[in-house]
Amino acid sequence: MKMLKTDDILREEMESLVEDLKLAYANSGKKVSGAWEEGLEVTYSKNRATLFGFAYLAGRVAGKMPPVSNILEWVNNKGIFNIESEAQASGIAWAIAKKIAKEGTTEEYHQKVFEQVITPQRIDKIIDRVVSVNVKEMVDAITAEMRLLTQNI
């Protein structure tokens, strides 16, 4: 059986995380444009993997007005209102954006996809897999060095 390297394990685990995040997103009822799912990205380097993505399913705090164009797209995609004209849709989007700027979004409707998928248990599992490989590699290296030393005695 071929022993996986740390980079192989990280790649497997990150691909699994991304698939589970996409599934949780698809099941959230919050999918509108697909931008959240498309925004997931993993970068890899030696013994390291980093996941990037939008956190906006977790809502927005009050303070800054979100882009009206994004809200307009949401209004149109969701089909919430029976909109007669583009001007009416823009007005609704502007009013929603203004309300979000003033009050933020209601926390009870926030979808914490990352927290649902990337649990402490899952992180521990990944760490355990990586550590076991690294320990095995270290033991193998020490064993090889010990053999060389004993041969030279």
Side-chain angles (χ1 to χ4, degrees):
M1 181 170 113
K2 180 186 174 208
M3 178 63 104
L4 292 174
K5 300 276 188 207
T6 300
D7 290 332
D8 299 328
I9 292 169
L10 289 174
R11 188 167 300 278
E12 280 181 7
E13 292 294 341
M14 294 308 277
E15 287 173 3
S16 177
L17 277 175
V18 168
E19 287 307 310
D20 289 349
L21 286 166
K22 288 178 179 180
L23 181 62
Y25 171 62
N27 293 330
S28 71
K30 300 224 178 243
K31 185 173 182 176
V32 179
S33 69
W36 188 89
E37 180 178 33
E38 293 166 11
L40 292 174
E41 178 187 346
V42 180
T43 61
Y44 298 96
S45 56
K46 180 93 174 117
N47 295 327
R48 177 181 220 109
T50 306
L51 173 65
F52 298 93
F54 302 112
Y56 64 73
L57 286 179
R60 187 178 189 109
V61 296
K64 187 176 175 189
M65 194 160 130
V68 175
S69 60
N70 291 1
I71 303 296
L72 179 60
E73 180 184 1
W74 178 79
V75 166
N76 287 328
N77 288 341
K78 262 314 203 189
I80 312 174
F81 302 102
N82 184 11
I83 300 171
E84 306 269 332
S85 69
E86 187 64 28
Q88 186 181 18
S90 293
I92 290 168
W94 182 85
I96 292 170
K98 197 72 171 157
K99 183 170 177 16
I100 291 171
K102 182 179 178 188
E103 300 175 15
T105 56
T106 307
E107 190 162 339
E108 70 183 85
Y109 298 112
H110 295 183
Q111 185 73 30
K112 298 183 179 176
V113 177
F114 288 107
E115 291 172 17
Q116 292 171 350
V117 174
I118 307 172
T119 62
Q121 296 82 5
R122 188 147 188 188
I123 292 169
D124 285 346
K125 176 187 154 236
I126 294 168
I127 290 169
D128 288 346
R129 285 190 71 198
V130 169
V131 165
S132 67
V133 167
N134 288 338
V135 167
K136 168 97 172 83
E137 288 175 358
M138 185 177 71
V139 167
D140 289 348
I142 291 170
T143 302
E145 289 293 325
M146 293 299 288
R147 281 192 195 119
L148 286 173
L149 287 174
T150 57
Q151 289 173 358
N152 292 330
I153 294 180

Short mmCIF file of all heavy atoms in Angstrom, two decimals, residues 68-129:
data_model
loop_
_atom_site.label_atom_id
_atom_site.label_comp_id
_atom_site.label_asym_id
_atom_site.label_seq_id
_atom_site.Cartn_x
_atom_site.Cartn_y
_atom_site.Cartn_z
N VAL A 68 -26.04 48.25 -4.50
CA VAL A 68 -27.44 48.13 -4.96
C VAL A 68 -27.51 47.15 -6.12
O VAL A 68 -28.48 46.38 -6.24
CB VAL A 68 -28.02 49.51 -5.34
CG1 VAL A 68 -29.42 49.38 -5.94
CG2 VAL A 68 -28.06 50.42 -4.11
N SER A 69 -26.48 47.12 -6.97
CA SER A 69 -26.50 46.20 -8.11
C SER A 69 -26.57 44.75 -7.65
O SER A 69 -27.26 43.92 -8.28
CB SER A 69 -25.27 46.43 -9.00
OG SER A 69 -24.08 46.20 -8.26
N ASN A 70 -25.89 44.42 -6.56
CA ASN A 70 -25.95 43.06 -6.02
C ASN A 70 -27.35 42.74 -5.49
O ASN A 70 -27.86 41.64 -5.69
CB ASN A 70 -24.92 42.86 -4.91
CG ASN A 70 -23.51 42.88 -5.41
OD1 ASN A 70 -23.25 43.06 -6.60
ND2 ASN A 70 -22.56 42.72 -4.51
N ILE A 71 -27.94 43.70 -4.81
CA ILE A 71 -29.29 43.51 -4.28
C ILE A 71 -30.28 43.40 -5.44
O ILE A 71 -31.20 42.57 -5.41
CB ILE A 71 -29.69 44.65 -3.32
CG1 ILE A 71 -28.69 44.77 -2.17
CG2 ILE A 71 -31.11 44.45 -2.80
CD1 ILE A 71 -28.62 43.58 -1.24
N LEU A 72 -30.09 44.21 -6.48
CA LEU A 72 -30.96 44.15 -7.66
C LEU A 72 -30.89 42.76 -8.30
O LEU A 72 -31.92 42.17 -8.66
CB LEU A 72 -30.57 45.23 -8.67
CG LEU A 72 -31.37 45.27 -9.97
CD1 LEU A 72 -32.85 45.50 -9.69
CD2 LEU A 72 -30.82 46.35 -10.89
N GLU A 73 -29.68 42.25 -8.44
CA GLU A 73 -29.53 40.90 -9.00
C GLU A 73 -30.25 39.88 -8.12
O GLU A 73 -30.94 38.99 -8.61
CB GLU A 73 -28.04 40.55 -9.11
CG GLU A 73 -27.79 39.17 -9.67
CD GLU A 73 -26.32 38.78 -9.70
OE1 GLU A 73 -25.46 39.57 -9.28
OE2 GLU A 73 -26.04 37.66 -10.17
N TRP A 74 -30.11 40.03 -6.80
CA TRP A 74 -30.76 39.12 -5.86
C TRP A 74 -32.28 39.21 -6.00
O TRP A 74 -32.96 38.19 -6.07
CB TRP A 74 -30.31 39.47 -4.44
CG TRP A 74 -30.96 38.64 -3.38
CD1 TRP A 74 -30.64 37.37 -3.01
CD2 TRP A 74 -32.05 39.04 -2.54
NE1 TRP A 74 -31.45 36.95 -1.99
CE2 TRP A 74 -32.33 37.95 -1.69
CE3 TRP A 74 -32.82 40.19 -2.43
CZ2 TRP A 74 -33.34 38.01 -0.74
CZ3 TRP A 74 -33.82 40.25 -1.49
CH2 TRP A 74 -34.08 39.16 -0.65
N VAL A 75 -32.81 40.43 -6.06
CA VAL A 75 -34.26 40.64 -6.20
C VAL A 75 -34.76 39.97 -7.48
O VAL A 75 -35.76 39.25 -7.47
CB VAL A 75 -34.61 42.15 -6.20
CG1 VAL A 75 -36.02 42.40 -6.67
CG2 VAL A 75 -34.41 42.73 -4.80
N ASN A 76 -34.04 40.18 -8.57
CA ASN A 76 -34.46 39.60 -9.85
C ASN A 76 -34.35 38.08 -9.85
O ASN A 76 -35.25 37.38 -10.33
CB ASN A 76 -33.63 40.18 -11.00
CG ASN A 76 -34.02 41.61 -11.32
OD1 ASN A 76 -35.17 42.02 -11.16
ND2 ASN A 76 -33.06 42.41 -11.75
N ASN A 77 -33.24 37.55 -9.31
CA ASN A 77 -33.05 36.10 -9.30
C ASN A 77 -34.00 35.39 -8.36
O ASN A 77 -34.43 34.28 -8.64
CB ASN A 77 -31.60 35.75 -8.92
CG ASN A 77 -30.62 36.08 -10.01
OD1 ASN A 77 -30.99 36.24 -11.17
ND2 ASN A 77 -29.36 36.20 -9.65
N LYS A 78 -34.27 35.99 -7.22
CA LYS A 78 -35.15 35.37 -6.24
C LYS A 78 -36.60 35.39 -6.70
O LYS A 78 -37.39 34.54 -6.30
CB LYS A 78 -35.05 36.09 -4.90
CG LYS A 78 -34.17 35.52 -3.84
CD LYS A 78 -34.27 34.07 -3.60
CE LYS A 78 -33.81 33.70 -2.23
NZ LYS A 78 -33.69 32.30 -2.01
N GLY A 79 -36.95 36.39 -7.51
CA GLY A 79 -38.33 36.50 -7.97
C GLY A 79 -39.30 36.74 -6.82
O GLY A 79 -40.43 36.25 -6.83
N ILE A 80 -38.87 37.48 -5.82
CA ILE A 80 -39.69 37.69 -4.62
C ILE A 80 -40.87 38.61 -4.91
O ILE A 80 -41.94 38.43 -4.39
CB ILE A 80 -38.85 38.33 -3.49
CG1 ILE A 80 -37.54 37.61 -3.30
CG2 ILE A 80 -39.62 38.34 -2.20
CD1 ILE A 80 -36.63 38.28 -2.32
N PHE A 81 -40.62 39.61 -5.73
CA PHE A 81 -41.64 40.62 -5.99
C PHE A 81 -42.16 40.48 -7.41
O PHE A 81 -41.43 40.06 -8.31
CB PHE A 81 -41.05 42.03 -5.82
CG PHE A 81 -40.48 42.27 -4.45
CD1 PHE A 81 -39.11 42.23 -4.23
CD2 PHE A 81 -41.31 42.53 -3.38
CE1 PHE A 81 -38.58 42.44 -2.98
CE2 PHE A 81 -40.78 42.75 -2.11
CZ PHE A 81 -39.42 42.70 -1.91
N ASN A 82 -43.41 40.84 -7.59
CA ASN A 82 -43.98 40.92 -8.94
C ASN A 82 -43.61 42.30 -9.46
O ASN A 82 -44.32 43.28 -9.23
CB ASN A 82 -45.50 40.72 -8.87
CG ASN A 82 -46.10 40.70 -10.26
OD1 ASN A 82 -45.39 40.63 -11.26
ND2 ASN A 82 -47.42 40.77 -10.31
N ILE A 83 -42.48 42.37 -10.15
CA ILE A 83 -41.92 43.66 -10.55
C ILE A 83 -42.37 44.00 -11.96
O ILE A 83 -42.22 43.22 -12.89
CB ILE A 83 -40.38 43.63 -10.46
CG1 ILE A 83 -39.98 43.34 -9.00
CG2 ILE A 83 -39.77 44.92 -10.95
CD1 ILE A 83 -38.53 43.07 -8.81
N GLU A 84 -42.93 45.20 -12.09
CA GLU A 84 -43.47 45.65 -13.37
C GLU A 84 -42.39 46.25 -14.27
O GLU A 84 -42.46 46.14 -15.47
CB GLU A 84 -44.55 46.72 -13.11
CG GLU A 84 -45.65 46.29 -12.16
CD GLU A 84 -46.81 45.65 -12.88
OE1 GLU A 84 -47.03 46.00 -14.05
OE2 GLU A 84 -47.48 44.81 -12.28
N SER A 85 -41.38 46.91 -13.67
CA SER A 85 -40.39 47.60 -14.49
C SER A 85 -39.02 47.51 -13.84
O SER A 85 -38.89 47.21 -12.65
CB SER A 85 -40.77 49.07 -14.65
OG SER A 85 -40.64 49.75 -13.42
N GLU A 86 -38.01 47.81 -14.63
CA GLU A 86 -36.64 47.82 -14.11
C GLU A 86 -36.47 48.93 -13.07
O GLU A 86 -35.77 48.75 -12.08
CB GLU A 86 -35.65 48.03 -15.27
CG GLU A 86 -34.20 47.90 -14.88
CD GLU A 86 -33.80 46.51 -14.39
OE1 GLU A 86 -34.41 45.52 -14.80
OE2 GLU A 86 -32.86 46.43 -13.58
N ALA A 87 -37.16 50.05 -13.28
CA ALA A 87 -37.08 51.15 -12.32
C ALA A 87 -37.67 50.73 -10.98
O ALA A 87 -37.14 51.06 -9.91
CB ALA A 87 -37.81 52.38 -12.86
N GLN A 88 -38.76 49.99 -11.03
CA GLN A 88 -39.39 49.50 -9.80
C GLN A 88 -38.44 48.52 -9.09
O GLN A 88 -38.27 48.58 -7.87
CB GLN A 88 -40.72 48.83 -10.11
CG GLN A 88 -41.51 48.44 -8.88
CD GLN A 88 -42.82 47.76 -9.23
OE1 GLN A 88 -43.01 47.28 -10.35
NE2 GLN A 88 -43.73 47.71 -8.28
N ALA A 89 -37.82 47.63 -9.85
CA ALA A 89 -36.87 46.68 -9.27
C ALA A 89 -35.69 47.41 -8.63
O ALA A 89 -35.26 47.06 -7.54
CB ALA A 89 -36.38 45.71 -10.34
N SER A 90 -35.19 48.44 -9.31
CA SER A 90 -34.08 49.23 -8.77
C SER A 90 -34.47 49.93 -7.49
O SER A 90 -33.68 50.01 -6.54
CB SER A 90 -33.61 50.26 -9.80
OG SER A 90 -33.04 49.62 -10.90
N GLY A 91 -35.69 50.44 -7.44
CA GLY A 91 -36.18 51.10 -6.23
C GLY A 91 -36.28 50.15 -5.05
O GLY A 91 -35.90 50.48 -3.93
N ILE A 92 -36.77 48.95 -5.33
CA ILE A 92 -36.87 47.93 -4.27
C ILE A 92 -35.47 47.55 -3.79
O ILE A 92 -35.22 47.46 -2.59
CB ILE A 92 -37.64 46.70 -4.78
CG1 ILE A 92 -39.12 47.05 -4.98
CG2 ILE A 92 -37.50 45.53 -3.82
CD1 ILE A 92 -39.92 46.01 -5.73
N ALA A 93 -34.55 47.35 -4.74
CA ALA A 93 -33.18 46.98 -4.38
C ALA A 93 -32.53 48.09 -3.56
O ALA A 93 -31.83 47.81 -2.57
CB ALA A 93 -32.36 46.71 -5.65
N TRP A 94 -32.74 49.35 -3.94
CA TRP A 94 -32.15 50.46 -3.20
C TRP A 94 -32.71 50.49 -1.78
O TRP A 94 -31.97 50.67 -0.80
CB TRP A 94 -32.44 51.80 -3.91
CG TRP A 94 -31.80 52.95 -3.21
CD1 TRP A 94 -30.54 53.41 -3.35
CD2 TRP A 94 -32.42 53.78 -2.22
NE1 TRP A 94 -30.31 54.46 -2.51
CE2 TRP A 94 -31.45 54.72 -1.80
CE3 TRP A 94 -33.68 53.81 -1.63
CZ2 TRP A 94 -31.71 55.67 -0.83
CZ3 TRP A 94 -33.94 54.77 -0.66
CH2 TRP A 94 -32.96 55.69 -0.27
N ALA A 95 -34.03 50.28 -1.63
CA ALA A 95 -34.65 50.31 -0.30
C ALA A 95 -34.11 49.17 0.58
O ALA A 95 -33.84 49.38 1.77
CB ALA A 95 -36.17 50.20 -0.44
N ILE A 96 -33.93 48.00 0.00
CA ILE A 96 -33.38 46.87 0.76
C ILE A 96 -31.94 47.16 1.17
O ILE A 96 -31.56 46.94 2.33
CB ILE A 96 -33.47 45.56 -0.07
CG1 ILE A 96 -34.94 45.15 -0.23
CG2 ILE A 96 -32.66 44.45 0.59
CD1 ILE A 96 -35.15 44.01 -1.22
N ALA A 97 -31.15 47.68 0.25
CA ALA A 97 -29.74 48.01 0.55
C ALA A 97 -29.67 49.06 1.66
O ALA A 97 -28.83 48.98 2.56
CB ALA A 97 -29.03 48.49 -0.71
N LYS A 98 -30.55 50.05 1.61
CA LYS A 98 -30.58 51.11 2.64
C LYS A 98 -30.94 50.52 4.00
O LYS A 98 -30.33 50.86 5.02
CB LYS A 98 -31.60 52.18 2.21
CG LYS A 98 -31.46 53.47 2.91
CD LYS A 98 -30.22 54.18 2.42
CE LYS A 98 -30.21 55.58 2.99
NZ LYS A 98 -28.89 56.14 3.03
N LYS A 99 -31.90 49.61 4.02
CA LYS A 99 -32.32 48.98 5.28
C LYS A 99 -31.18 48.12 5.85
O LYS A 99 -30.92 48.12 7.05
CB LYS A 99 -33.56 48.13 5.08
CG LYS A 99 -34.08 47.50 6.36
CD LYS A 99 -35.44 46.90 6.12
CE LYS A 99 -36.10 46.19 7.22
NZ LYS A 99 -35.83 46.21 8.53
N ILE A 100 -30.48 47.39 4.97
CA ILE A 100 -29.33 46.58 5.42
C ILE A 100 -28.25 47.48 5.99
O ILE A 100 -27.64 47.17 7.02
CB ILE A 100 -28.79 45.70 4.27
CG1 ILE A 100 -29.79 44.60 3.93
CG2 ILE A 100 -27.44 45.09 4.65
CD1 ILE A 100 -29.46 43.81 2.68
N ALA A 101 -28.00 48.62 5.35
CA ALA A 101 -26.99 49.56 5.85
C ALA A 101 -27.37 50.07 7.24
O ALA A 101 -26.51 50.22 8.11
CB ALA A 101 -26.84 50.74 4.89
N LYS A 102 -28.64 50.29 7.45
CA LYS A 102 -29.11 50.83 8.74
C LYS A 102 -29.15 49.76 9.83
O LYS A 102 -28.74 50.01 10.97
CB LYS A 102 -30.49 51.45 8.56
CG LYS A 102 -31.04 52.08 9.80
CD LYS A 102 -32.40 52.70 9.55
CE LYS A 102 -32.94 53.30 10.84
NZ LYS A 102 -34.32 53.75 10.68
N GLU A 103 -29.63 48.57 9.49
CA GLU A 103 -29.89 47.56 10.52
C GLU A 103 -29.04 46.30 10.42
O GLU A 103 -29.05 45.48 11.33
CB GLU A 103 -31.37 47.15 10.47
CG GLU A 103 -32.33 48.31 10.70
CD GLU A 103 -33.78 47.90 10.51
OE1 GLU A 103 -34.08 46.69 10.48
OE2 GLU A 103 -34.62 48.81 10.39
N GLY A 104 -28.36 46.12 9.31
CA GLY A 104 -27.67 44.84 9.09
C GLY A 104 -28.69 43.79 8.71
O GLY A 104 -29.87 44.09 8.49
N THR A 105 -28.26 42.55 8.63
CA THR A 105 -29.21 41.47 8.35
C THR A 105 -29.53 40.75 9.64
O THR A 105 -28.73 40.74 10.58
CB THR A 105 -28.62 40.48 7.31
OG1 THR A 105 -27.38 39.99 7.79
CG2 THR A 105 -28.44 41.15 5.96
N THR A 106 -30.67 40.13 9.69
CA THR A 106 -31.13 39.44 10.89
C THR A 106 -30.32 38.16 11.09
O THR A 106 -30.29 37.30 10.21
CB THR A 106 -32.64 39.10 10.76
OG1 THR A 106 -33.33 40.30 10.44
CG2 THR A 106 -33.18 38.53 12.04
N GLU A 107 -29.70 38.05 12.25
CA GLU A 107 -28.78 36.94 12.50
C GLU A 107 -29.47 35.58 12.41
O GLU A 107 -28.86 34.60 12.00
CB GLU A 107 -28.12 37.08 13.86
CG GLU A 107 -27.01 36.08 14.02
CD GLU A 107 -26.04 36.44 15.13
OE1 GLU A 107 -25.96 37.60 15.52
OE2 GLU A 107 -25.35 35.52 15.58
N GLU A 108 -30.74 35.51 12.75
CA GLU A 108 -31.41 34.20 12.70
C GLU A 108 -31.47 33.63 11.28
O GLU A 108 -31.64 32.43 11.10
CB GLU A 108 -32.82 34.29 13.28
CG GLU A 108 -33.79 35.09 12.42
CD GLU A 108 -35.16 35.23 13.05
OE1 GLU A 108 -35.33 36.16 13.86
OE2 GLU A 108 -36.05 34.44 12.71
N TYR A 109 -31.29 34.47 10.28
CA TYR A 109 -31.32 34.01 8.88
C TYR A 109 -29.92 33.78 8.31
O TYR A 109 -29.77 33.38 7.17
CB TYR A 109 -32.07 34.99 7.99
CG TYR A 109 -33.52 35.15 8.40
CD1 TYR A 109 -33.97 36.35 8.93
CD2 TYR A 109 -34.41 34.10 8.28
CE1 TYR A 109 -35.30 36.49 9.33
CE2 TYR A 109 -35.73 34.23 8.67
CZ TYR A 109 -36.16 35.44 9.20
OH TYR A 109 -37.47 35.57 9.58
N HIS A 110 -28.89 34.04 9.10
CA HIS A 110 -27.52 33.83 8.63
C HIS A 110 -27.27 32.34 8.45
O HIS A 110 -27.73 31.52 9.23
CB HIS A 110 -26.50 34.40 9.61
CG HIS A 110 -26.59 35.88 9.75
ND1 HIS A 110 -25.73 36.58 10.55
CD2 HIS A 110 -27.42 36.81 9.21
CE1 HIS A 110 -26.02 37.87 10.49
NE2 HIS A 110 -27.05 38.03 9.69
N GLN A 111 -26.54 32.01 7.43
CA GLN A 111 -26.18 30.63 7.14
C GLN A 111 -24.68 30.49 7.35
O GLN A 111 -23.90 31.05 6.59
CB GLN A 111 -26.56 30.29 5.69
CG GLN A 111 -26.35 28.87 5.31
CD GLN A 111 -27.37 27.94 5.92
OE1 GLN A 111 -28.49 28.34 6.17
NE2 GLN A 111 -26.99 26.72 6.19
N LYS A 112 -24.27 29.78 8.36
CA LYS A 112 -22.86 29.65 8.69
C LYS A 112 -22.31 28.34 8.10
O LYS A 112 -22.01 27.39 8.82
CB LYS A 112 -22.66 29.75 10.18
CG LYS A 112 -23.11 31.13 10.68
CD LYS A 112 -22.89 31.34 12.13
CE LYS A 112 -23.37 32.76 12.46
NZ LYS A 112 -23.30 33.07 13.84
N VAL A 113 -22.19 28.34 6.78
CA VAL A 113 -21.79 27.14 6.05
C VAL A 113 -20.41 26.67 6.47
O VAL A 113 -20.19 25.48 6.69
CB VAL A 113 -21.84 27.40 4.53
CG1 VAL A 113 -21.37 26.19 3.75
CG2 VAL A 113 -23.26 27.77 4.11
N PHE A 114 -19.46 27.59 6.60
CA PHE A 114 -18.10 27.19 6.98
C PHE A 114 -18.10 26.51 8.34
O PHE A 114 -17.44 25.49 8.53
CB PHE A 114 -17.15 28.40 6.99
CG PHE A 114 -16.83 28.91 5.62
CD1 PHE A 114 -17.37 30.10 5.17
CD2 PHE A 114 -15.98 28.21 4.77
CE1 PHE A 114 -17.08 30.58 3.90
CE2 PHE A 114 -15.68 28.67 3.51
CZ PHE A 114 -16.23 29.87 3.07
N GLU A 115 -18.83 27.07 9.28
CA GLU A 115 -18.87 26.49 10.63
C GLU A 115 -19.59 25.14 10.65
O GLU A 115 -19.29 24.29 11.49
CB GLU A 115 -19.55 27.46 11.60
CG GLU A 115 -18.73 28.70 11.84
CD GLU A 115 -19.48 29.75 12.64
OE1 GLU A 115 -20.51 29.43 13.27
OE2 GLU A 115 -19.03 30.91 12.63
N GLN A 116 -20.54 24.94 9.74
CA GLN A 116 -21.24 23.66 9.67
C GLN A 116 -20.34 22.55 9.15
O GLN A 116 -20.42 21.42 9.58
CB GLN A 116 -22.46 23.77 8.75
CG GLN A 116 -23.57 24.62 9.27
CD GLN A 116 -24.64 24.86 8.21
OE1 GLN A 116 -24.48 24.55 7.04
NE2 GLN A 116 -25.75 25.44 8.63
N VAL A 117 -19.48 22.89 8.22
CA VAL A 117 -18.66 21.89 7.54
C VAL A 117 -17.28 21.74 8.18
O VAL A 117 -16.79 20.64 8.39
CB VAL A 117 -18.52 22.23 6.03
CG1 VAL A 117 -17.55 21.29 5.34
CG2 VAL A 117 -19.89 22.18 5.36
N ILE A 118 -16.65 22.86 8.50
CA ILE A 118 -15.30 22.82 9.06
C ILE A 118 -15.40 22.83 10.58
O ILE A 118 -15.22 23.84 11.23
CB ILE A 118 -14.44 23.99 8.52
CG1 ILE A 118 -14.49 24.01 6.99
CG2 ILE A 118 -13.00 23.87 9.02
CD1 ILE A 118 -13.83 25.22 6.37
N THR A 119 -15.70 21.67 11.12
CA THR A 119 -15.90 21.52 12.55
C THR A 119 -14.58 21.20 13.26
O THR A 119 -13.63 20.76 12.61
CB THR A 119 -16.89 20.35 12.82
OG1 THR A 119 -16.30 19.14 12.32
CG2 THR A 119 -18.23 20.60 12.15
N PRO A 120 -14.52 21.40 14.55
CA PRO A 120 -13.30 21.02 15.29
C PRO A 120 -12.96 19.54 15.10
O PRO A 120 -11.78 19.18 14.99
CB PRO A 120 -13.66 21.33 16.75
CG PRO A 120 -14.69 22.41 16.67
CD PRO A 120 -15.48 22.10 15.42
N GLN A 121 -13.98 18.68 15.02
CA GLN A 121 -13.74 17.25 14.82
C GLN A 121 -13.09 16.99 13.46
O GLN A 121 -12.19 16.17 13.33
CB GLN A 121 -15.05 16.46 14.91
CG GLN A 121 -15.72 16.50 16.26
CD GLN A 121 -16.55 17.77 16.49
OE1 GLN A 121 -16.73 18.61 15.62
NE2 GLN A 121 -17.04 17.91 17.71
N ARG A 122 -13.55 17.73 12.46
CA ARG A 122 -12.99 17.55 11.12
C ARG A 122 -11.54 18.05 11.07
O ARG A 122 -10.69 17.42 10.46
CB ARG A 122 -13.85 18.28 10.10
CG ARG A 122 -13.45 17.97 8.68
CD ARG A 122 -14.63 17.98 7.80
NE ARG A 122 -14.33 17.51 6.47
CZ ARG A 122 -15.19 17.57 5.49
NH1 ARG A 122 -16.39 18.07 5.69
NH2 ARG A 122 -14.86 17.13 4.31
N ILE A 123 -11.30 19.15 11.70
CA ILE A 123 -9.93 19.68 11.76
C ILE A 123 -9.02 18.68 12.47
O ILE A 123 -7.91 18.42 12.01
CB ILE A 123 -9.91 21.06 12.45
CG1 ILE A 123 -10.62 22.09 11.57
CG2 ILE A 123 -8.48 21.50 12.76
CD1 ILE A 123 -10.90 23.40 12.25
N ASP A 124 -9.50 18.11 13.58
CA ASP A 124 -8.71 17.10 14.31
C ASP A 124 -8.40 15.90 13.43
O ASP A 124 -7.29 15.36 13.46
CB ASP A 124 -9.44 16.65 15.58
CG ASP A 124 -9.40 17.68 16.69
OD1 ASP A 124 -8.60 18.63 16.59
OD2 ASP A 124 -10.18 17.53 17.64
N LYS A 125 -9.38 15.47 12.64
CA LYS A 125 -9.18 14.33 11.75
C LYS A 125 -8.07 14.63 10.73
O LYS A 125 -7.20 13.80 10.47
CB LYS A 125 -10.48 13.99 11.02
CG LYS A 125 -10.36 12.88 10.02
CD LYS A 125 -11.66 12.72 9.22
CE LYS A 125 -11.34 12.12 7.88
NZ LYS A 125 -11.78 12.84 6.75
N ILE A 126 -8.11 15.83 10.16
CA ILE A 126 -7.09 16.22 9.17
C ILE A 126 -5.71 16.27 9.85
O ILE A 126 -4.74 15.74 9.32
CB ILE A 126 -7.44 17.58 8.53
CG1 ILE A 126 -8.72 17.45 7.70
CG2 ILE A 126 -6.29 18.09 7.67
CD1 ILE A 126 -9.32 18.78 7.26
N ILE A 127 -5.66 16.88 11.02
CA ILE A 127 -4.39 16.96 11.76
C ILE A 127 -3.86 15.56 12.05
O ILE A 127 -2.68 15.29 11.86
CB ILE A 127 -4.56 17.79 13.05
CG1 ILE A 127 -4.77 19.26 12.69
CG2 ILE A 127 -3.35 17.61 13.97
CD1 ILE A 127 -5.20 20.12 13.86
N ASP A 128 -4.74 14.67 12.51
CA ASP A 128 -4.32 13.30 12.82
C ASP A 128 -3.75 12.60 11.59
O ASP A 128 -2.73 11.90 11.68
CB ASP A 128 -5.48 12.48 13.39
CG ASP A 128 -5.86 12.88 14.80
OD1 ASP A 128 -5.08 13.61 15.45
OD2 ASP A 128 -6.96 12.49 15.25
N ARG A 129 -4.39 12.78 10.44
CA ARG A 129 -3.89 12.15 9.21
C ARG A 129 -2.51 12.70 8.83
O ARG A 129 -1.61 11.94 8.50
CB ARG A 129 -4.85 12.40 8.05
CG ARG A 129 -6.10 11.54 8.10
CD ARG A 129 -6.90 11.64 6.83
NE ARG A 129 -6.21 10.94 5.74
CZ ARG A 129 -6.48 11.13 4.46
NH1 ARG A 129 -7.39 12.01 4.09
NH2 ARG A 129 -5.82 10.47 3.53
#
